[in-house]
Amino acid sequence: MSLAVCVGWAATTWIALHLQADTALHTAALFVHLASLVLGFGAVLAVDYYGVLWLTGRKTLREVLDFTAPLHVPVWVGLGGLLFSGAFLHPDLGSPLTCVKLGLVLVLSLNGVQASALHRRLTAVSGAPVRLSLLIRSAVTAVVSQAAWWGAVTIGFLNSQH
């Protein structure tokens, strides 16, 4: 899965370098980009919020896993939509800020692959006490997720001001 994420990221970066979208395609891509942000990031916020509820003892692990399992699909659909549509939004790949954003997108994508594996590991715990290493991994996964998503969103907003 990590290889597929890297290939998808590289392909959309290549498209951004080699394709110039006309006004109609740019407008459609912007709509898809914003809709994908709502879908993907909204699902991520729900997953991470439930993770915090578990880490603070307000939800059981089983409740969190049952709630978050179906949210993996909208996260990945949203992220894929962001990647694909972003290639048609004329990103300035010569800008250091845009390069940081692309790096954050790759980080959050690979973190998503890791989060899926973590979800499977936590599901396998099946009522037993969760090891400290899995607790730490859960917290780090959420922090990386939020930092990368908010960083990419912030840079996208800043870039849209030019």
Side-chain angles (χ1 to χ4, degrees):
M1 183 70 166
S2 294
L3 179 60
V5 163
C6 291
V7 168
W9 179 87
T12 55
T13 302
W14 186 89
I15 290 168
L17 282 168
H18 294 91
L19 184 82
Q20 189 70 12
D22 64 13
T23 303
L25 181 56
H26 182 273
T27 301
L30 181 59
F31 178 81
V32 170
H33 205 69
L34 293 174
S36 296
L37 177 64
V38 169
L39 178 66
F41 194 26
V44 165
L45 288 170
V47 168
D48 289 350
Y49 176 70
Y50 258 68
V52 168
L53 291 176
W54 169 56
L55 290 172
T56 59
R58 297 176 67 200
K59 292 285 182 189
T60 67
L61 179 58
R62 177 58 37 213
E63 289 172 320
V64 172
L65 294 172
D66 289 345
F67 176 82
T68 60
L71 293 176
H72 291 262
V73 172
V75 169
W76 286 111
V77 170
L79 185 55
L82 283 165
L83 274 172
F84 184 72
S85 63
F88 299 99
L89 295 177
H90 311 297
D92 179 6
L93 298 177
S95 163
L97 206 52
T98 300
C99 291
V100 169
K101 179 181 178 181
L102 288 174
L104 289 172
V105 169
L106 182 58
V107 165
L108 72 87
S109 300
L110 293 172
N111 189 59
V113 172
Q114 186 280 139
S116 294
L118 175 61
H119 191 274
R120 288 188 300 275
R121 295 275 309 269
L122 290 168
T123 300
V125 168
S126 187
V130 178
R131 294 190 329 262
L132 179 60
S133 62
L134 281 178
L135 288 173
I136 292 170
R137 185 173 163 190
S138 298
V140 169
T141 299
V143 168
V144 169
S145 172
Q146 289 299 311
W149 275 97
W150 283 108
V153 166
T154 301
I155 292 171
F157 171 76
L158 293 173
N159 281 344
S160 75
Q161 303 304 300
H162 297 99

